[in-house]
Amino acid sequence: MGKGLWFKRRLLMASISTGLVSGLFAHPAAAAQDEETNVQNLPPVEVTAPPSATRRTTPSRPVARVGTPGSASPRTRIYVYPTAPGTGRGLDVDKVPSAINAVDASQIKRTGSLNVTDALRDNIAGVNISEVTGNPFQPDVEFRGFVASPVTGTPQGLAVYQNGVRINEAFSDAVNWDLIPTAAIRSVTLVTNNPAFGLNALGGAINLQMKDGFTYQGAELDVMGGSFGRIQGSAQWGKQVDKNYAVYGALEGLHDNGFRNFSRSDVRRFYGDVGYKAGDSEFHANMGVAKNDFGASATVPAELLEKYWGATYTTPQITSNRVGYLNLTGKVDATPTWTLEGTAHVRRYEQKIVDGNPTDAQACGADPTLLCFGDDTTPANGVNGVQLANPFAPGTILGEIDRGTIRSTTFGVSGQATNTDQLFGHDNRFVMGATYDTGVTRYNATAEIGSIAENYVVSGSGVFLGPTGLPDPVAGPVSLRTVNQYNGLYAMDTFNVTDAFAITGGGRFNVARITLEDQLGTALNGDHTFARFNPVIGGTYKITPELTAYAGYSEANRVPTPLELGCSDPARPCLIAAFLVSDPPLKQVVSKTVEAGLRGTKELNIGTLGWKIGGFRATNHDDILAVPAVGRTGFGYFSNVGRTRRQGLEAEVNIKSPALQFQASYAFVDARFLDPLELGSESPFADPATETIRVLPGNQIPAVPRHRVKVGVDYSVTDVWKVGGNALFVSNQYLVGDESNQYAKLPSYTVFNLHTSYQVAKNVQLYGRIDNVFDKRYATYGQFFDREAVPNFTNGGAEFTDPRSLSPARPRAFYAGMRVTF
């Protein structure tokens, strides 16, 4: 029976990842086709001119119809870009005073992946992916040197929205990419230089718009399997029931054994939407659930990878994510020139982490039958406050199994009003809105002392560490309740000075209150309030019908998270994502950004040409950095480190036609510290007396490669057969911990991928892909580690000599699948 359930569970797994750009092989009767997009990959909006017979005295405006037309009146397809978190119609793309970065559903499909992050990496010039956790389903997304990461404790610099709802988690602002239903995504935009998206939008906001029964109709089944035990599948279905109602649902599942030891991954997701339209009003209720489990979530010493590319270090490393959410959205055209929209949402998130680590527990020097912590004299206490007896045999390598649980419930409402009345006889668009979000989190952590075997597996002993260290505990259990309250008020106005020249101005006022309530005492108690107004100003000029120039300036802020506020004292470091102690307050981070560029389109014989080039400079004030505590594996603290700067250039050219899709891009990102500082580091160049490195103004920020080159092509060999591939080059980068730029960089890498598809019948397609064609062995992330914490068992128990710990990338992999539409 167990085998039957195992088989049935995998048989239900489904994915929209086919590697075919929808529409290239579609026959007239084909169903479940993705929307066509323009060269900037934006879905169209149908606009219908109001009837001429009207009693309106105010200037008229087009009425937006998204996806399918609502009447037989004359219609025009235009392309808009989001300028605020709402789900309604955005701003005409020619009027946006910032870079345009968009990915459509067909581009997501072409990656053949359940990770939307792969589509961002392949299609947006400035995006880079690092597998900091060592698991491909939980990557760090870095854009212009700012990060959105699932790793609790990573300073987050990107906001992420799903259908107008911010999904950065309440406790640490982390972004769990694995919880996003990839098959259900209609489009993704990466909005820059815009404070209307609120907290964390230092480098920008990733805005996900989801499918519904009005924009996606038909049914689709997809199954795929391949290397490392991968099997995945999905089913999605959308239908407009009648003129007013529509429904949509998507189910996804994946199982992957991984190429590393203990690196199994299981992904299960569902998303559904019910929509209602009546005239110029539209309402939706959408919900989602996910239940995902991952292994192998850490870097590995380079010396172990030299012996075996699938090695792991100090396991278990298990992450379990659960989520359930309900969102309500509504939009009403109250008058011909006023549109009102609102959202309400509730989200329940739970994460459990089991993480094997080295430990600072050791036999006491004076009495080896007792355990000490940090040194051989400080008692290691149990949960009852009594010093622990040492149950381990002499010579045992001690380790620690850290367990952490995050349970968050968030609730929020927002409202937005858009007005298109003319101003002084000129076209004008005014948007104002307000948001309120609150989240309650319960966080618990424990540490179990254990032993480390020669395969680096930590086995528990049932002995748990209690409050240790006097007068202030430096380790022990944590039970914390936090409350986040985020309020925002924003307004933006775009005024057309002429038909070619438009200016945009506005800003957002943010107020954040974060309360910490220690459930085991009073040491962690705190109440912190932050407030700031962030302005924006910019303009666009349409030089010719096919060429637009833009420029803008904006400011944004992010407030310290509850985790960062609970761990900011260098004298008493915490086990990141586990143990917290009372700390001095941190300052909020303020980013000031300027960007400018050119973009254009042109119709050619071979298709539609799109291109863009732009530059940016973002200066962070009071930036926050996670600083390791030397000699205490996993321990660290958060600190304001003064000013940092990220600046660079992005360029892209693409061609889109029924037979050919081509894209090439280059991004240069220069990220540097601007103020001198001293940081703890495991670097071999650290001062042996202070165990610190000196960071000088101009030193590069680690883990930010300066050069990224991307090329992709898809070509229809025949009406039913298509081939394609892409290449990715990422330049070298400094290791985390080498902020002083003294050690050799992590090497650059170039990866080639191929894919093909064949339309067997009108509604049946076979496809395949090869990732990492030349089986390149490379790492996407690296850091220093404590070489003395655990012996190198692959070298007779000697001490590690290479200070690097790396995240190995997946070797060459083969996949094949079938897609059926109805």
Side-chain angles (χ1 to χ4, degrees), residues 761-806:
K762 180 175 61 177
N763 294 336
V764 179
Q765 178 191 103
L766 301 178
Y767 64 90
R769 81 175 202 258
I770 306 174
D771 291 346
N772 194 0
V773 173
F774 298 108
D775 201 21
K776 175 77 171 180
R777 300 301 169 96
Y778 64 97
T780 61
Y781 175 87
Q783 63 184 15
F784 293 130
F785 78 110
D786 184 0
R787 291 173 290 163
E788 301 177 356
V790 179
N792 183 353
F793 295 118
T794 66
N795 191 27
E799 183 178 308
F800 285 99
T801 57
D802 192 327
R804 300 174 302 157
S805 187
L806 310 175

Short mmCIF file of all heavy atoms in Angstrom, two decimals, residues 761-806:
data_model
loop_
_atom_site.label_atom_id
_atom_site.label_comp_id
_atom_site.label_asym_id
_atom_site.label_seq_id
_atom_site.Cartn_x
_atom_site.Cartn_y
_atom_site.Cartn_z
N ALA A 761 0.85 16.24 -32.21
CA ALA A 761 -0.51 16.46 -32.69
C ALA A 761 -0.92 17.86 -32.29
O ALA A 761 -0.16 18.59 -31.62
CB ALA A 761 -1.47 15.41 -32.11
N LYS A 762 -2.14 18.23 -32.68
CA LYS A 762 -2.60 19.60 -32.43
C LYS A 762 -2.46 19.98 -30.96
O LYS A 762 -2.05 21.09 -30.64
CB LYS A 762 -4.06 19.73 -32.87
CG LYS A 762 -4.65 21.10 -32.65
CD LYS A 762 -6.05 21.20 -33.23
CE LYS A 762 -7.00 20.21 -32.57
NZ LYS A 762 -8.38 20.36 -33.09
N ASN A 763 -2.76 19.04 -30.06
CA ASN A 763 -2.77 19.35 -28.64
C ASN A 763 -1.76 18.53 -27.84
O ASN A 763 -1.84 18.47 -26.62
CB ASN A 763 -4.17 19.12 -28.06
CG ASN A 763 -5.20 20.08 -28.61
OD1 ASN A 763 -4.84 21.17 -29.06
ND2 ASN A 763 -6.46 19.69 -28.61
N VAL A 764 -0.81 17.88 -28.51
CA VAL A 764 0.18 17.04 -27.82
C VAL A 764 1.57 17.46 -28.25
O VAL A 764 1.86 17.55 -29.45
CB VAL A 764 -0.04 15.55 -28.11
CG1 VAL A 764 1.02 14.72 -27.39
CG2 VAL A 764 -1.44 15.11 -27.70
N GLN A 765 2.42 17.67 -27.28
CA GLN A 765 3.79 18.10 -27.55
C GLN A 765 4.76 17.29 -26.70
O GLN A 765 4.53 17.06 -25.51
CB GLN A 765 3.95 19.58 -27.22
CG GLN A 765 5.35 20.12 -27.43
CD GLN A 765 5.48 21.50 -26.84
OE1 GLN A 765 6.06 21.68 -25.77
NE2 GLN A 765 4.94 22.49 -27.51
N LEU A 766 5.84 16.86 -27.32
CA LEU A 766 6.96 16.23 -26.61
C LEU A 766 8.11 17.22 -26.56
O LEU A 766 8.33 17.99 -27.50
CB LEU A 766 7.41 14.95 -27.32
CG LEU A 766 6.35 13.86 -27.50
CD1 LEU A 766 6.95 12.68 -28.27
CD2 LEU A 766 5.81 13.40 -26.16
N TYR A 767 8.85 17.20 -25.47
CA TYR A 767 9.95 18.15 -25.35
C TYR A 767 11.08 17.54 -24.52
O TYR A 767 10.88 16.56 -23.78
CB TYR A 767 9.48 19.47 -24.72
CG TYR A 767 8.98 19.33 -23.30
CD1 TYR A 767 9.83 19.46 -22.21
CD2 TYR A 767 7.63 19.07 -23.05
CE1 TYR A 767 9.38 19.34 -20.91
CE2 TYR A 767 7.17 18.96 -21.76
CZ TYR A 767 8.04 19.09 -20.69
OH TYR A 767 7.56 18.96 -19.41
N GLY A 768 12.23 18.13 -24.65
CA GLY A 768 13.38 17.68 -23.87
C GLY A 768 14.36 18.81 -23.69
O GLY A 768 14.33 19.82 -24.41
N ARG A 769 15.23 18.66 -22.72
CA ARG A 769 16.25 19.68 -22.49
C ARG A 769 17.48 19.06 -21.84
O ARG A 769 17.39 18.02 -21.16
CB ARG A 769 15.71 20.84 -21.68
CG ARG A 769 15.64 20.65 -20.19
CD ARG A 769 15.21 21.95 -19.52
NE ARG A 769 15.60 22.01 -18.13
CZ ARG A 769 14.79 21.78 -17.10
NH1 ARG A 769 13.54 21.43 -17.33
NH2 ARG A 769 15.24 21.88 -15.87
N ILE A 770 18.61 19.71 -22.05
CA ILE A 770 19.87 19.34 -21.40
C ILE A 770 20.38 20.58 -20.68
O ILE A 770 20.62 21.61 -21.32
CB ILE A 770 20.92 18.83 -22.41
CG1 ILE A 770 20.35 17.69 -23.26
CG2 ILE A 770 22.17 18.38 -21.68
CD1 ILE A 770 21.29 17.26 -24.37
N ASP A 771 20.55 20.48 -19.40
CA ASP A 771 21.11 21.58 -18.62
C ASP A 771 22.60 21.32 -18.39
O ASP A 771 23.02 20.19 -18.16
CB ASP A 771 20.40 21.70 -17.27
CG ASP A 771 18.97 22.18 -17.41
OD1 ASP A 771 18.61 22.66 -18.51
OD2 ASP A 771 18.20 22.05 -16.44
N ASN A 772 23.39 22.41 -18.44
CA ASN A 772 24.83 22.31 -18.22
C ASN A 772 25.44 21.29 -19.19
O ASN A 772 25.99 20.27 -18.78
CB ASN A 772 25.12 21.94 -16.76
CG ASN A 772 26.58 22.14 -16.38
OD1 ASN A 772 27.40 22.56 -17.19
ND2 ASN A 772 26.90 21.83 -15.14
N VAL A 773 25.30 21.58 -20.47
CA VAL A 773 25.65 20.64 -21.54
C VAL A 773 27.06 20.09 -21.39
O VAL A 773 27.30 18.88 -21.60
CB VAL A 773 25.49 21.33 -22.91
CG1 VAL A 773 26.01 20.43 -24.03
CG2 VAL A 773 24.03 21.70 -23.15
N PHE A 774 28.01 20.93 -21.05
CA PHE A 774 29.41 20.50 -20.98
C PHE A 774 29.83 20.05 -19.57
O PHE A 774 31.02 19.92 -19.28
CB PHE A 774 30.32 21.62 -21.48
CG PHE A 774 30.06 22.00 -22.91
CD1 PHE A 774 29.44 23.20 -23.23
CD2 PHE A 774 30.41 21.13 -23.93
CE1 PHE A 774 29.19 23.55 -24.54
CE2 PHE A 774 30.16 21.47 -25.26
CZ PHE A 774 29.55 22.67 -25.56
N ASP A 775 28.84 19.82 -18.71
CA ASP A 775 29.09 19.30 -17.36
C ASP A 775 30.11 20.13 -16.60
O ASP A 775 31.05 19.62 -15.99
CB ASP A 775 29.55 17.84 -17.44
CG ASP A 775 29.32 17.10 -16.13
OD1 ASP A 775 28.47 17.55 -15.33
OD2 ASP A 775 30.00 16.07 -15.90
N LYS A 776 29.93 21.44 -16.65
CA LYS A 776 30.83 22.37 -15.97
C LYS A 776 30.68 22.25 -14.46
O LYS A 776 29.59 22.26 -13.92
CB LYS A 776 30.49 23.80 -16.42
CG LYS A 776 31.27 24.89 -15.71
CD LYS A 776 32.68 25.00 -16.22
CE LYS A 776 33.38 26.23 -15.66
NZ LYS A 776 34.77 26.34 -16.16
N ARG A 777 31.80 22.11 -13.76
CA ARG A 777 31.79 22.07 -12.29
C ARG A 777 32.14 23.47 -11.78
O ARG A 777 33.26 23.95 -11.99
CB ARG A 777 32.78 21.03 -11.78
CG ARG A 777 32.48 19.62 -12.25
CD ARG A 777 31.09 19.16 -11.82
NE ARG A 777 30.67 17.92 -12.47
CZ ARG A 777 30.81 16.72 -11.94
NH1 ARG A 777 31.38 16.59 -10.74
NH2 ARG A 777 30.38 15.65 -12.58
N TYR A 778 31.20 24.10 -11.16
CA TYR A 778 31.40 25.47 -10.70
C TYR A 778 30.56 25.71 -9.45
O TYR A 778 29.65 24.93 -9.11
CB TYR A 778 31.01 26.47 -11.79
CG TYR A 778 29.56 26.45 -12.18
CD1 TYR A 778 28.66 27.37 -11.63
CD2 TYR A 778 29.07 25.52 -13.10
CE1 TYR A 778 27.32 27.35 -11.99
CE2 TYR A 778 27.73 25.50 -13.46
CZ TYR A 778 26.86 26.42 -12.90
OH TYR A 778 25.53 26.40 -13.25
N ALA A 779 30.86 26.78 -8.77
CA ALA A 779 30.12 27.17 -7.56
C ALA A 779 29.51 28.55 -7.78
O ALA A 779 30.13 29.43 -8.38
CB ALA A 779 31.04 27.19 -6.35
N THR A 780 28.29 28.73 -7.30
CA THR A 780 27.62 30.02 -7.46
C THR A 780 27.80 30.92 -6.25
O THR A 780 27.45 32.10 -6.30
CB THR A 780 26.11 29.82 -7.68
OG1 THR A 780 25.55 29.15 -6.53
CG2 THR A 780 25.86 28.97 -8.92
N TYR A 781 28.35 30.38 -5.15
CA TYR A 781 28.48 31.14 -3.91
C TYR A 781 29.61 30.53 -3.10
O TYR A 781 29.83 29.31 -3.12
CB TYR A 781 27.16 31.10 -3.13
CG TYR A 781 27.19 31.75 -1.77
CD1 TYR A 781 26.93 33.11 -1.63
CD2 TYR A 781 27.45 31.01 -0.62
CE1 TYR A 781 26.93 33.71 -0.37
CE2 TYR A 781 27.46 31.60 0.63
CZ TYR A 781 27.20 32.96 0.75
OH TYR A 781 27.21 33.55 1.99
N GLY A 782 30.32 31.36 -2.37
CA GLY A 782 31.39 30.87 -1.51
C GLY A 782 31.58 31.75 -0.30
O GLY A 782 31.29 32.96 -0.32
N GLN A 783 32.07 31.16 0.78
CA GLN A 783 32.35 31.89 2.01
C GLN A 783 33.48 31.21 2.75
O GLN A 783 33.89 30.09 2.42
CB GLN A 783 31.10 31.94 2.89
CG GLN A 783 30.63 30.56 3.37
CD GLN A 783 29.35 30.62 4.17
OE1 GLN A 783 28.64 31.62 4.17
NE2 GLN A 783 29.03 29.55 4.86
N PHE A 784 34.02 31.87 3.75
CA PHE A 784 35.02 31.25 4.62
C PHE A 784 34.30 30.48 5.74
O PHE A 784 33.16 30.80 6.10
CB PHE A 784 35.92 32.31 5.23
CG PHE A 784 36.80 33.02 4.24
CD1 PHE A 784 36.87 34.40 4.21
CD2 PHE A 784 37.57 32.30 3.33
CE1 PHE A 784 37.68 35.06 3.29
CE2 PHE A 784 38.38 32.94 2.42
CZ PHE A 784 38.44 34.33 2.40
N PHE A 785 34.99 29.48 6.27
CA PHE A 785 34.41 28.73 7.39
C PHE A 785 35.50 28.43 8.42
O PHE A 785 36.69 28.62 8.17
CB PHE A 785 33.75 27.44 6.89
CG PHE A 785 34.71 26.32 6.58
CD1 PHE A 785 34.78 25.18 7.37
CD2 PHE A 785 35.57 26.39 5.47
CE1 PHE A 785 35.65 24.15 7.08
CE2 PHE A 785 36.44 25.37 5.18
CZ PHE A 785 36.48 24.25 5.98
N ASP A 786 35.07 27.98 9.58
CA ASP A 786 35.98 27.66 10.67
C ASP A 786 36.64 26.31 10.38
O ASP A 786 36.01 25.25 10.54
CB ASP A 786 35.21 27.62 11.99
CG ASP A 786 36.12 27.39 13.20
OD1 ASP A 786 37.35 27.24 13.01
OD2 ASP A 786 35.60 27.35 14.33
N ARG A 787 37.91 26.34 9.97
CA ARG A 787 38.61 25.11 9.57
C ARG A 787 38.91 24.20 10.76
O ARG A 787 39.18 23.00 10.58
CB ARG A 787 39.91 25.46 8.87
CG ARG A 787 39.72 26.10 7.49
CD ARG A 787 41.04 26.58 6.94
NE ARG A 787 41.54 27.74 7.67
CZ ARG A 787 42.80 28.17 7.64
NH1 ARG A 787 43.69 27.50 6.92
NH2 ARG A 787 43.16 29.24 8.32
N GLU A 788 38.86 24.73 11.97
CA GLU A 788 39.23 23.95 13.16
C GLU A 788 38.02 23.32 13.84
O GLU A 788 38.18 22.55 14.78
CB GLU A 788 39.95 24.85 14.16
CG GLU A 788 41.23 25.49 13.60
CD GLU A 788 41.87 26.43 14.60
OE1 GLU A 788 41.27 26.65 15.67
OE2 GLU A 788 42.95 26.95 14.32
N ALA A 789 36.80 23.62 13.35
CA ALA A 789 35.61 23.16 14.06
C ALA A 789 35.45 21.65 14.00
O ALA A 789 35.10 21.01 15.00
CB ALA A 789 34.37 23.84 13.48
N VAL A 790 35.70 21.05 12.82
CA VAL A 790 35.54 19.61 12.61
C VAL A 790 36.71 19.13 11.77
O VAL A 790 37.13 19.82 10.84
CB VAL A 790 34.20 19.30 11.89
CG1 VAL A 790 34.06 17.80 11.67
CG2 VAL A 790 33.02 19.82 12.69
N PRO A 791 37.27 17.94 12.05
CA PRO A 791 38.40 17.44 11.26
C PRO A 791 37.98 17.10 9.83
O PRO A 791 36.81 16.89 9.52
CB PRO A 791 38.81 16.17 12.01
CG PRO A 791 38.21 16.28 13.36
CD PRO A 791 36.95 17.06 13.19
N ASN A 792 38.96 17.04 8.94
CA ASN A 792 38.76 16.59 7.58
C ASN A 792 38.91 15.07 7.56
O ASN A 792 40.00 14.54 7.43
CB ASN A 792 39.78 17.25 6.64
CG ASN A 792 39.57 16.86 5.19
OD1 ASN A 792 38.75 16.01 4.87
ND2 ASN A 792 40.34 17.48 4.30
N PHE A 793 37.78 14.38 7.68
CA PHE A 793 37.82 12.92 7.76
C PHE A 793 38.27 12.28 6.45
O PHE A 793 38.69 11.13 6.44
CB PHE A 793 36.44 12.38 8.15
CG PHE A 793 36.00 12.78 9.53
CD1 PHE A 793 34.87 13.55 9.72
CD2 PHE A 793 36.73 12.38 10.65
CE1 PHE A 793 34.46 13.93 10.99
CE2 PHE A 793 36.33 12.75 11.93
CZ PHE A 793 35.20 13.52 12.10
N THR A 794 38.19 13.02 5.34
CA THR A 794 38.66 12.47 4.06
C THR A 794 40.17 12.54 3.94
O THR A 794 40.75 12.03 2.98
CB THR A 794 38.03 13.22 2.87
OG1 THR A 794 38.49 14.57 2.86
CG2 THR A 794 36.51 13.19 2.96
N ASN A 795 40.81 13.17 4.93
CA ASN A 795 42.27 13.31 4.92
C ASN A 795 42.84 12.84 6.24
O ASN A 795 43.73 13.47 6.82
CB ASN A 795 42.67 14.77 4.65
CG ASN A 795 44.15 14.93 4.36
OD1 ASN A 795 44.81 14.00 3.89
ND2 ASN A 795 44.68 16.11 4.66
N GLY A 796 42.30 11.73 6.73
CA GLY A 796 42.83 11.12 7.94
C GLY A 796 42.56 11.90 9.21
O GLY A 796 43.26 11.69 10.22
N GLY A 797 41.60 12.79 9.19
CA GLY A 797 41.28 13.56 10.38
C GLY A 797 42.15 14.78 10.59
O GLY A 797 42.11 15.42 11.64
N ALA A 798 42.92 15.15 9.56
CA ALA A 798 43.75 16.35 9.65
C ALA A 798 42.87 17.60 9.59
O ALA A 798 41.70 17.56 9.22
CB ALA A 798 44.77 16.36 8.53
N GLU A 799 43.45 18.73 9.93
CA GLU A 799 42.71 19.99 9.87
C GLU A 799 42.52 20.40 8.41
O GLU A 799 43.39 20.16 7.55
CB GLU A 799 43.48 21.07 10.62
CG GLU A 799 42.77 22.41 10.68
CD GLU A 799 43.57 23.44 11.47
OE1 GLU A 799 43.95 23.13 12.62
OE2 GLU A 799 43.81 24.54 10.93
N PHE A 800 41.39 21.02 8.10
CA PHE A 800 41.18 21.56 6.76
C PHE A 800 42.22 22.64 6.49
O PHE A 800 42.58 23.43 7.37
CB PHE A 800 39.78 22.17 6.64
CG PHE A 800 38.67 21.15 6.52
CD1 PHE A 800 37.92 20.78 7.64
CD2 PHE A 800 38.38 20.56 5.31
CE1 PHE A 800 36.89 19.86 7.54
CE2 PHE A 800 37.35 19.63 5.19
CZ PHE A 800 36.61 19.27 6.31
N THR A 801 42.70 22.68 5.25
CA THR A 801 43.68 23.71 4.88
C THR A 801 43.08 24.78 3.96
O THR A 801 43.57 25.90 3.92
CB THR A 801 44.88 23.07 4.16
OG1 THR A 801 44.43 22.34 3.02
CG2 THR A 801 45.61 22.11 5.12
N ASP A 802 42.05 24.43 3.22
CA ASP A 802 41.38 25.38 2.33
C ASP A 802 40.28 26.08 3.11
O ASP A 802 39.36 25.42 3.61
CB ASP A 802 40.81 24.65 1.11
CG ASP A 802 40.35 25.60 0.01
OD1 ASP A 802 39.89 26.71 0.33
OD2 ASP A 802 40.45 25.22 -1.18
N PRO A 803 40.31 27.41 3.23
CA PRO A 803 39.32 28.10 4.07
C PRO A 803 37.97 28.29 3.41
O PRO A 803 37.05 28.83 4.02
CB PRO A 803 39.99 29.46 4.31
CG PRO A 803 40.79 29.71 3.08
CD PRO A 803 41.30 28.36 2.66
N ARG A 804 37.81 27.84 2.16
CA ARG A 804 36.58 28.11 1.41
C ARG A 804 35.51 27.04 1.64
O ARG A 804 35.81 25.85 1.71
CB ARG A 804 36.87 28.19 -0.09
CG ARG A 804 37.87 29.26 -0.51
CD ARG A 804 38.17 29.14 -1.99
NE ARG A 804 38.70 27.82 -2.31
CZ ARG A 804 38.66 27.26 -3.52
NH1 ARG A 804 38.11 27.92 -4.53
NH2 ARG A 804 39.17 26.06 -3.72
N SER A 805 34.27 27.50 1.74
CA SER A 805 33.10 26.63 1.77
C SER A 805 32.17 27.10 0.65
O SER A 805 31.83 28.28 0.57
CB SER A 805 32.38 26.71 3.12
OG SER A 805 31.35 25.76 3.22
N LEU A 806 31.77 26.17 -0.25
CA LEU A 806 31.15 26.55 -1.51
C LEU A 806 29.78 25.91 -1.69
O LEU A 806 29.48 24.87 -1.09
CB LEU A 806 32.05 26.15 -2.68
CG LEU A 806 33.52 26.58 -2.61
CD1 LEU A 806 34.29 26.00 -3.79
CD2 LEU A 806 33.65 28.09 -2.56
#
